[in-house]
């Protein structure tokens, strides 16, 4: 097998032009420390269509492919090293014409068992474990001993093989009532946690009305419907038996016997899987609404992930505030009570995720989070780094069918480049330490469709180069064998070790404690979880670890004691812990503890909050849930200051807690020119989340502020909140008349004309054009387009105007939704693409050098771009190139002069006086006597043509910008 080594530099996100832009301020890291460069290996596959690019110390094997199985959605690997696959041959019958493709409609979809019996590194055996009419496109599987847990909405099903013949002898519907039948946004796979309980998630295709075996009922939903003919009704603002409103996608936990259902996080769009590391940290990815905002996140327990409004009654589009970029809006990142979104991975269709804790691939890979990105044909890799109470997530492309995975992805685009058919649907770790990748293989991902009529699929196996890995022979009848199982890198295999050792009780405490000195830190963590469930003797050892000098021991010990309801005596002690992650867990544990019992611990958390850590701030908010007013009284006392001089701690805590008692301080702060604009904005937001008449009245007052940013934002909040949280708090007809500026009222009236289908289209277009050049009007049009309220005809007609809007944020957001010359040119995509400097230099020579100098090359007609990299950042430069007429450089505005002899001159104004001098587009200067000029007009558009007029595509612009910014 031949390896050709390639190394590929990473990049920083573009940022620069004539206006500073903080849009999508995401930073790529070059690559993870210690991980080798990429190579590629040719894999013999269907029509020789596939190559995998991966680090040069790893190799890939095509381990299995159709017809051994078809259309893999999810997989797990048992203790014998066999791969179990859920098939989705019957995927979306309503969309995919089963009569014209492979179909298992009559008997239902299947669970397959694949095995490499002869040890040659490839599977040659496949058997059907079960084919069941209850299975229509199942999305999850977990194999734990003789139990196979299959996730297929509306059911979570357990098949049990009691006699070991690889056929189920018993079928039990453990839970039912999940929404999303035959829908991607539905029930996903179970994984065994380090505490022995089952963790899983479900997407936002609710409603989810699920009752566990103890009678506790989950009621969750949102306004999302559609995608399939079965997802017809849903609604937000539903209360579960815990009295809480859970919305959208959910992360859930349940005991193996079906009792103890608990929500661990909510308000996702469609997190495909949740995975846990051995410390108990939860990780997930989530897809977006095709707006370049997919994410990989650390899921803090109880986290609100911010897709819908907090009650699930509004989509993110309806909540977008002026000046917000799409990533911030999409995940409600400026709303109090929403968790940090994590890594913005851009456009895509994220799927399976796993945390690699083994050593077989090499210690460089231990502690690596692997996340499948089916849309972009890549497996992302992270090695999370602690950052306060949370983590930094630095991404690298680990495995792909391309040498460099593209940032550009539109789910509906197809072509005959079969490399794009590599669609990793899941990634798992085998008991041998190898990584297995399930490939759905299709020209598209998303849109509830598939195009590959043969149901082709494949499994890749990733191993160290030149090293043969074999699954260990585990003797689960002995303590030593169970210890080895507990140490296994396959998550559901080590669950067998956990269960077996737990059943032996305190008799195995000494054996398990030996793992506390293991070289692999994940083995140590697993031992702590287990000790907490080995009787009083084991718990006593865990309590001792709360005082360990190792912060990871203290963190895991606290979580382990919490899992057995033995943690409350240690709240105050651990609230004083020097490690922010430990204190975060105390805050999470205090959520349902009454104030009288929690107050001292909460005070300790407040005293140690540094004013910067968003995860810690959210944990304090969680601890204060239902007791915000009492906690805020302490905040006032501890962080004393007048409203104009809040510390960062006081400002952030006031925003997060936002009790009604803080309205006067927030009002003073929001309306003061002594406070920075960003902090004024935060204070306005806090008022906007207080559901009280006093808050609404404060916002009315602020809408009359002499500070334009305050009055504009306050007017937006009033216009927004009158339709939801504040609808019944004021006389809105009277309030609106009092506070709305004439200019804003005019734009709202014009919006009515644009929206009115009874108006002539010409009138609607002309009105929209007038709005497009106005700051308020531009924002309104963008919001209409984002929410699907602005027809394509009008959007096309106003694009020339809206891309000249004076607000750069409007221009950038509009680039995702408004076409240019019939084409949508998304600056977000361009900003994330890798630029080829050499190609960019050639593009400059062929396209730009006729007017611009860069170094020694080019003509001296337009602005000299030699030092552009010092004056602007990449996003601003990109905006200037894409929207040349929006912010023309001073001195390069173009004029048209007509003389009394009717001679016309067009160019840049160089001199103005008795003689007026213009420089035309060819660089020639023209002098005209001022008294001979009949008319002089400053032109609204730049001489520089837009990129689409020059035939430049998004990659061309990435290359060109990369060249201009790399000049030395």
């Amino acid at each position: 097998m031949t390896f050709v080594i390639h190394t590929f530099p990473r990049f920083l996100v573009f940022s620069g032009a004539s206006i500073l832009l903080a849009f999508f301020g995401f930073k790529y890291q070059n690559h993870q420390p210690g991980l080798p460069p990429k190579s590629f290996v040719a894999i013999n596959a269907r029509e020789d269509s596939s190559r995998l690019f991966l680090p040069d110390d790893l190799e890939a094997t095509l381990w299995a492919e159709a017809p051994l199985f078809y259309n893999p959605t999810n997989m797990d690997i048992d203790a014998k090293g066999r791969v179990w696959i859920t098939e989705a041959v019957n995927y979306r019958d309503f969309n995919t014409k089963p009569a014209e493709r492979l179909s298992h409609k009559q008997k239902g979809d299947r669970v397959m068992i694949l095995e490499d019996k002869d040890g040659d590194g490839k599977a040659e055996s496949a058997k059907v474990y079960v084919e069941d009419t209850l299975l229509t496109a199942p999305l999850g599987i977990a194999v734990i001993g003789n139990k196979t847990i299959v996730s297929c909405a509306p059911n979570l099903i357990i098949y049990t093989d009691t006699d070991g013949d690889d056929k189920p002898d018993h079928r039990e519907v453990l839970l039912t009532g999940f929404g999303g039948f035959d829908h991607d946004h539905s029930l996903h796979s179970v994984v065994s946690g380090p505490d022995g309980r089952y963790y899983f998630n479900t997407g936002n295709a609710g409603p989810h009305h699920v009752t566990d075996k103890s009678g506790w009922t989950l009621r969750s939903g949102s306004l999302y419907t559609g995608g399939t003919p079965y997802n017809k009704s849903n609604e937000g603002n539903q209360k579960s038996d815990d009295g809480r409103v859970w919305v959208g996608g959910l992360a859930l936990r349940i005991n193996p016997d079906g009792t103890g259902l608990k929500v661990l996080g909510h308000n996702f769009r469609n997190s495909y899987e949740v995975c846990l590391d051995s410390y108990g940290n939860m990780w997930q990815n989530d897809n977006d609404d095709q707006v370049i905002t997919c994410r990989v996140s650390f899921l803090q327990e109880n986290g609100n992930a911010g897709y819908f409004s907090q009650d699930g009654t509004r989509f993110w589009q309806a909540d977008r505030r002026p000046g917000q970029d799409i990533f911030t809006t999409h995940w409600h990142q400026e709303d109090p009570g929403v968790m940090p979104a994590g890594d913005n991975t851009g456009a895509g269709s994220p799927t399976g995720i796993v945390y690699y804790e083994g050593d077989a691939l090499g210690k460089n890979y231990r502690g690596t989070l692997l996340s499948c990105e089916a849309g972009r044909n890549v497996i992302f890799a992270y090695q999370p780094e602690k950052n306060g109470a949370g983590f930094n997530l630095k991404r690298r492309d680990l495995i792909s069918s391309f040498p460099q995975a593209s940032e550009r992805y539109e789910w509906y685009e197809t072509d005959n480049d079969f490399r794009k058919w590599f669609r990793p649907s899941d990634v798992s770790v085998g008991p041998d330490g190898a990584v297995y990748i399930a490939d759905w293989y299709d020209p598209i991902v998303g849109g509830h469709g598939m195009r590959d009529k043969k149901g082709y699929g494949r499994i890749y196996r990733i191993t160290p180069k030149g090293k043969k890995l074999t699954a260990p022979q585990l003797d689960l009848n002995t303590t030593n064998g169970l210890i080895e199982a507990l140490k296994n890198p396959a998550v559901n295999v080590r669950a067998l070790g956990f269960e077996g050792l737990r059943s032996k009780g305190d008799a195995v405490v000494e054996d398990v404690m030996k793992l506390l000195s293991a070289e692999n830190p994940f083995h140590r963590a697993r031992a702590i979880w287990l000790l907490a469930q080995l009787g009083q003797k084991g718990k006593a050892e865990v309590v001792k670890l709360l005082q360990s000098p190792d912060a990871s021991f203290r963190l895991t010990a606290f979580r382990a004691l919490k899992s057995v309801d033995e943690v409350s005596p240690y709240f105050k002690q651990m609230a004083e812990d020097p490690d922010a992650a430990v204190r975060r867990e105390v805050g999470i544990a205090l959520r349902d503890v009454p104030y009288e019992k929690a107050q001292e611990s909460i005070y300790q958390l407040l005293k140690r909050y540094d004013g910067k850590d968003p995860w810690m701030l959210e944990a304090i908010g969680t601890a204060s849930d239902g007791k915000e007013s009492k906690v805020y009284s302490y905040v006032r006392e501890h962080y004393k200051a007048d409203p104009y001089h809040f510390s960062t701690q006081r400002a952030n805590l006031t925003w997060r807690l936002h009790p009604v008692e803080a309205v006067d301080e927030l009002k003073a702060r929001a309306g003061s020119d002594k406070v920075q604009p960003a902090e004024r904005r935060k204070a306005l937001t806090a008022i906007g989340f207080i559901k009280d008449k006093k808050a609404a009245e404060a916002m009315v007052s602020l809408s009359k502020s002499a500070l334009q940013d305050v009055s504009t934002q306050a007017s937006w909040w009033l216009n927004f909140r009158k339709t939801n949280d504040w609808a019944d708090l004021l006389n809105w007809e009277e309030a609106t008349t009092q506070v709305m500026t004439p200019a804003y009222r005019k734009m709202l009236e014009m919006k009515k004309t644009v929206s009115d289908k009874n108006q002539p289209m010409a009138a609607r277009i002309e009105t929209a054009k007038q709005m497009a050049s106005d700051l308020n009007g531009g924002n309104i049009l963008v919001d209409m387009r984002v929410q699907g309220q602005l027809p394509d005809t009008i959007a096309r007609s106003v694009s020339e105007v809206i891309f000249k809007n004076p607000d750069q944020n409007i221009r950038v957001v509009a680039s995702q939704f408004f076409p240019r010359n019939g084409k949508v040119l998304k600056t977000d995509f361009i900003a994330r693409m890798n630029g080829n400097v050499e190609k960019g230099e050639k593009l400059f020579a062929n396209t730009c050098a006729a007017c611009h100098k860069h170094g020694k090359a080019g003509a001296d007609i337009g602005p000299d771009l030699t030092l552009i990299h010092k004056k602007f950042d990449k996003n601003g430069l990109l905006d200037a190139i894409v929207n040349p007429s929006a912010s023309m450089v001073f001195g390069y505005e173009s004029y048209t002069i007509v003389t009394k002899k009717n001679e016309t001159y067009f160019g840049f104004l160089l001199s103005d006086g008795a003689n007026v001098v213009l420089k035309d587009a060819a660089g020639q200067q023209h002098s005209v006597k001022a008294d001979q000029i009949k008319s002089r007009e400053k032109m609204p558009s730049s001489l520089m043509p837009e990129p689409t007029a020059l035939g430049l595509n998004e990659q061309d612009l990435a290359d060109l910008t990369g060249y201009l910014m790399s000049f030395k």
Side-chain angles (χ1 to χ4, degrees):
M1 196 171 285
T2 302
F3 291 83
V4 180
I5 297 175
H6 297 263
T7 59
F8 303 98
R10 296 290 180 265
F11 64 100
L12 296 178
V13 161
F14 292 2
S15 42
S18 50
I19 301 174
L20 180 64
L21 179 61
F23 191 74
F24 283 106
F26 174 80
K27 187 177 181 181
Y28 246 132
Q29 193 73 6
N30 186 18
H31 50 69
Q32 298 292 350
L35 294 184
K38 278 189 180 178
S39 65
F40 76 75
V41 54
I43 302 293
N44 289 325
R46 181 184 177 190
E47 302 173 4
D48 286 327
S49 63
S50 178
R51 282 179 173 178
L52 287 187
F53 292 78
L54 66 165
D56 65 0
D57 62 343
L58 301 178
E59 60 186 0
T61 303
L62 181 59
W63 191 80
E65 63 179 322
L68 290 178
F69 65 97
Y70 301 100
N71 287 5
T73 58
N74 203 247
M75 67 178 166
D76 197 11
I77 305 167
D78 66 16
K80 299 177 183 178
R82 303 183 302 175
V83 175
W84 297 57
I85 291 290
T86 48
E87 295 181 333
V89 170
N90 297 328
Y91 182 83
R92 310 300 183 267
D93 280 353
F94 57 86
N95 244 5
T96 53
K97 300 180 180 178
E100 299 177 8
R101 61 167 174 81
L102 178 69
S103 175
H104 292 161
K105 184 68 174 177
Q106 291 185 342
K107 294 183 179 180
D109 270 318
R110 307 185 303 181
V111 174
M112 302 295 296
I113 305 174
L114 311 176
E115 187 173 6
D116 171 15
K117 290 187 173 182
D118 58 12
D120 66 349
K122 295 185 178 181
E124 68 285 324
S125 169
K127 64 176 71 173
V128 178
Y129 174 71
V130 67
E131 188 168 18
D132 192 343
T133 55
L134 284 185
L135 302 182
T136 298
L139 294 177
I141 185 169
V143 182
I144 305 175
N146 66 353
K147 294 181 178 180
T148 302
I149 308 169
V150 178
S151 304
C152 187
N155 304 313
L156 188 65
I157 306 168
I158 297 182
Y159 298 96
T160 304
D161 175 11
T162 58
D163 57 10
D165 65 350
D166 292 331
K167 294 290 182 183
D169 301 295
H170 181 258
R171 182 185 74 185
E172 175 191 9
V173 176
L174 185 69
L175 297 173
T176 191
F178 295 98
F181 172 74
D182 199 16
H183 199 299
D184 290 333
H185 296 211
S186 63
L187 188 61
H188 297 291
S189 64
V190 164
V191 63
S192 183
D195 58 355
R197 292 181 283 193
Y198 295 164
Y199 293 74
F200 61 103
N201 58 5
T202 187
N204 65 350
H208 307 302
H209 293 166
V210 182
T211 301
D212 72 8
K213 298 297 184 183
S214 62
W216 188 92
T217 298
L218 166 73
R219 301 175 192 88
S220 171
S222 67
L223 74 166
Y224 174 68
T225 58
T228 76
Y230 319 110
N231 190 32
K232 294 180 179 179
S233 63
N234 195 3
E235 62 180 343
N237 212 18
Q238 301 182 54
K239 285 189 178 180
S240 298
D241 280 0
D242 57 6
R244 297 182 178 276
V245 174
W246 304 109
V247 304
L250 309 168
L252 301 159
R253 184 182 67 208
I254 195 162
N255 297 325
D257 65 0
T259 64
L261 183 63
K262 179 179 173 61
V263 179
L264 300 176
H266 75 127
N267 208 359
F268 317 147
R269 186 175 187 266
N270 182 38
S271 171
Y272 196 85
E273 285 185 325
V274 63
C275 72
L276 288 82
D277 62 33
S278 289
Y279 299 114
N281 297 312
M282 294 182 289
W283 307 92
Q284 67 174 37
N285 52 37
D286 201 356
N287 65 3
D288 65 1
D289 280 328
Q290 290 81 51
V291 287
I292 319 179
T293 58
C294 295
R295 58 180 173 177
V296 171
S297 309
F298 160 58
L299 175 59
Q300 186 164 308
E301 187 174 336
N302 301 322
N304 172 355
Y307 177 64
F308 296 104
S309 61
Q310 291 183 352
D311 59 3
T313 61
R314 298 187 306 279
F315 288 107
W316 62 271
Q317 294 95 328
D319 288 1
R320 179 182 173 271
R321 303 195 276 279
Q324 285 188 326
D325 61 62
I326 292 295
F327 186 74
T328 299
T329 300
H330 195 282
W331 304 119
H332 286 83
Q333 288 296 281
E334 293 179 345
D335 291 9
V338 174
M339 72 181 207
D343 174 32
N344 175 10
T345 59
S349 296
T351 48
I353 190 168
V354 72
Y355 202 95
Y356 188 86
E357 298 182 350
D359 296 314
L361 295 185
K363 290 184 180 179
N364 288 332
Y365 295 96
R366 180 200 288 172
T368 299
L369 179 67
L370 301 173
S371 178
C372 294
E373 175 41 74
R376 304 234 301 275
N377 328 108
V378 64
I379 310 291
F380 296 139
Y382 302 82
Q383 290 177 320
E385 300 172 355
K386 279 188 65 175
N387 179 12
F391 295 88
N392 289 331
L393 293 173
K394 299 175 183 178
R395 171 169 30 101
R396 114 175 253 227
D397 297 347
L398 188 74
I399 301 169
S400 177
S401 53
F402 287 85
Q404 176 63 57
S406 174
E407 287 285 347
R408 197 183 190 290
Y409 165 70
E410 300 279 11
W411 72 265
Y412 51 81
E413 291 183 348
T414 63
D415 58 35
N416 292 323
D417 185 345
F418 292 107
R419 295 175 297 175
K420 294 180 181 178
W421 291 35
F422 172 63
R423 304 296 188 181
S425 57
D426 199 15
V427 57
S428 297
V429 181
D432 55 359
V435 170
Y436 293 78
I437 300 168
D439 178 12
W440 170 258
Y441 194 83
D442 202 273
I444 64 167
V445 173
H448 298 281
M450 60 180 178
R451 306 286 176 85
D452 175 29
K453 296 181 180 181
K454 296 181 180 180
Y456 184 77
R458 51 195 174 193
I459 306 293
Y460 293 109
R461 183 172 181 253
I462 311 300
T463 57
K465 184 186 290 184
K467 184 177 179 180
K468 183 176 181 179
L469 300 182
T470 57
Q473 299 295 314
L474 298 174
D475 185 354
L476 301 180
N477 296 311
T478 67
T479 298
N480 286 339
L482 291 169
I483 292 286
E484 290 303 309
L486 184 65
K487 292 162 58 179
N488 196 272
V491 60
N492 290 332
V493 172
R494 58 181 178 257
L496 303 179
F498 186 95
E499 292 176 359
L501 291 166
R502 180 173 57 184
S503 69
K504 293 179 179 289
D506 60 12
V508 295
V509 167
E510 285 76 12
D511 296 289
V512 174
M513 284 186 63
K514 292 176 184 178
L515 286 177
L516 295 178
S517 58
E519 190 275 334
N520 186 318
F522 297 109
H523 296 173
R524 302 174 214 156
R526 295 171 204 168
I528 297 172
W529 286 100
L530 179 56
L531 284 168
Q533 299 187 39
L534 295 181
Q536 292 304 317
K537 185 178 178 181
K539 289 177 188 175
E541 296 298 333
V542 177
V543 170
K544 292 177 186 177
L545 293 175
L546 293 175
Q547 299 182 26
S548 169
D550 187 328
S552 67
F553 274 32
R554 301 195 304 273
L555 171 71
T556 310
F558 185 87
R559 282 174 163 171
L561 291 170
K562 179 187 170 190
S563 73
V564 293
D565 297 323
E566 297 278 353
V567 76
S568 58
Y570 311 105
F571 283 155
K572 183 175 180 297
Q573 171 189 336
M574 305 313 289
E576 299 173 356
D577 196 276
D579 185 75
V582 175
R583 300 197 305 273
R584 176 198 68 219
E585 290 305 304
V586 176
I588 291 168
L590 290 171
R591 186 191 68 175
D592 297 322
V593 177
Y595 178 74
E596 292 71 22
K597 295 182 179 181
Q599 59 178 320
E600 186 55 39
S601 299
I602 294 175
Y603 296 166
Q604 296 302 323
L605 298 179
L606 291 170
K607 289 176 183 178
R608 289 164 176 78
Y609 171 54
D610 64 4
K612 303 174 184 177
D613 189 332
W615 296 276
M616 193 68 236
L617 179 62
E618 187 51 33
I620 291 172
T622 298
S624 306
D625 186 62
K627 33 194 181 280
E628 289 88 353
S629 295
K630 293 179 179 178
V631 173
Y632 189 66
S633 66
Y634 181 83
V635 172
R636 270 180 171 158
E637 185 65 26
H638 188 71
Y639 296 107
K640 288 183 178 179
D642 66 67
Y644 317 113
H645 299 97
F646 278 4
S647 64
T648 54
Q649 289 96 329
R650 177 72 184 272
N652 288 342
L653 289 164
T654 304
W655 168 81
R656 175 59 183 88
L657 299 173
H658 57 278
V660 67
E661 290 83 357
V663 167
D664 290 339
E665 295 162 316
L666 288 165
K667 177 184 173 183
R669 189 167 170 77
S672 174
D673 60 3
K674 298 177 183 178
V675 178
Q676 292 297 312
E679 291 299 312
R680 294 200 295 262
R681 181 185 181 99
K682 182 178 286 187
L684 281 162
T685 299
I687 296 171
F689 278 86
I690 300 172
K691 194 174 181 179
D692 189 274
K693 184 177 181 180
K694 188 175 182 180
E697 290 173 341
M699 200 68 82
V700 169
S701 177
L702 288 165
S703 69
K704 303 173 186 177
S705 172
L707 297 171
Q708 186 175 359
D709 64 311
V710 176
S711 61
T712 298
Q713 291 168 41
S715 295
W716 182 90
W717 274 109
L718 289 168
N719 193 54
F720 172 65
R721 280 298 185 212
K722 72 180 183 182
T723 66
N724 43 75
D725 288 4
W726 294 350
D728 301 323
L729 299 183
L730 295 179
N731 179 332
W732 284 104
E733 184 175 350
E734 179 181 327
T736 302
T737 301
Q738 288 180 4
V739 305
M740 195 172 295
T741 65
Y744 193 75
R745 187 182 300 114
K746 179 182 178 182
M747 289 299 115
L748 290 179
E749 288 300 318
M750 295 175 80
K751 177 184 177 183
K752 293 179 182 178
T753 300
V754 174
S755 303
D756 188 352
K757 296 180 180 179
N758 294 320
Q759 293 286 334
M761 181 57 73
R764 296 170 69 188
I765 289 173
E766 183 57 35
T767 304
K769 285 182 176 179
Q770 295 177 46
M771 294 177 67
S773 61
D774 180 84
L775 191 149
N776 289 321
N779 259 312
I780 290 170
L781 286 176
V782 167
D783 284 342
M784 291 176 69
R785 186 65 171 164
V786 167
Q787 296 183 58
Q789 299 170 357
L790 191 70
D792 290 345
T793 301
I794 299 178
R796 286 194 297 269
S797 300
V798 304
S799 63
E800 182 180 347
V801 182
I802 204 163
F803 290 118
K804 298 176 185 177
N805 191 285
D807 188 315
Q808 187 176 6
N809 181 268
I810 291 174
R811 300 196 300 269
V812 172
V813 176
S815 73
Q816 293 201 39
F817 301 99
F818 289 80
R820 301 167 189 270
N821 295 330
K823 173 180 170 57
V824 174
L825 194 61
K826 297 184 178 181
T827 56
D828 307 55
F829 270 144
I830 306 167
R832 299 176 64 90
M833 289 177 174
N834 283 337
N836 184 306
V837 173
E838 292 182 359
K839 290 182 179 179
E841 184 175 12
K842 292 178 181 178
L843 281 168
F844 180 85
N846 295 331
T847 309
C848 312
C851 293
H852 297 280
K853 286 186 69 67
H854 192 247
K856 296 181 180 180
D860 187 17
I861 298 173
D864 189 324
L865 302 181
T866 303
L867 298 178
I868 197 74
H869 61 290
K870 293 185 177 180
K871 295 180 180 179
F872 306 119
D873 61 17
K874 286 184 178 178
N875 270 330
L877 176 59
L878 182 59
D879 178 60
I881 295 172
V882 173
N883 303 305
S885 299
S887 51
M888 289 180 280
V889 177
F890 178 74
Y892 288 93
E893 303 95 339
S894 56
Y895 286 81
T896 297
I897 288 178
V898 179
T899 69
K900 293 177 180 178
K901 296 181 180 180
N902 289 323
E903 297 169 328
T904 301
Y905 298 93
F906 182 71
F908 302 124
L909 183 66
L910 299 183
S911 178
D912 193 3
N915 290 293
V916 177
V917 181
L918 290 182
K919 180 169 65 174
D920 65 22
Q924 184 176 351
Q925 294 186 16
H926 302 274
S927 179
V928 182
K929 291 184 179 296
D931 59 8
Q932 296 302 306
I933 294 175
K934 181 168 67 174
S935 66
R936 173 166 58 177
E937 182 182 1
K938 184 178 178 180
M939 304 306 294
S941 298
S942 170
L943 282 175
M944 175 177 164
E946 291 189 2
T948 49
L950 296 171
L952 300 179
N953 60 31
E954 288 157 331
Q955 187 60 58
D956 292 334
L957 293 175
D959 296 340
L960 178 60
T961 312
Y963 165 65
L964 293 174
M965 297 304 292
S966 68
F967 190 75
K968 295 180 181 179

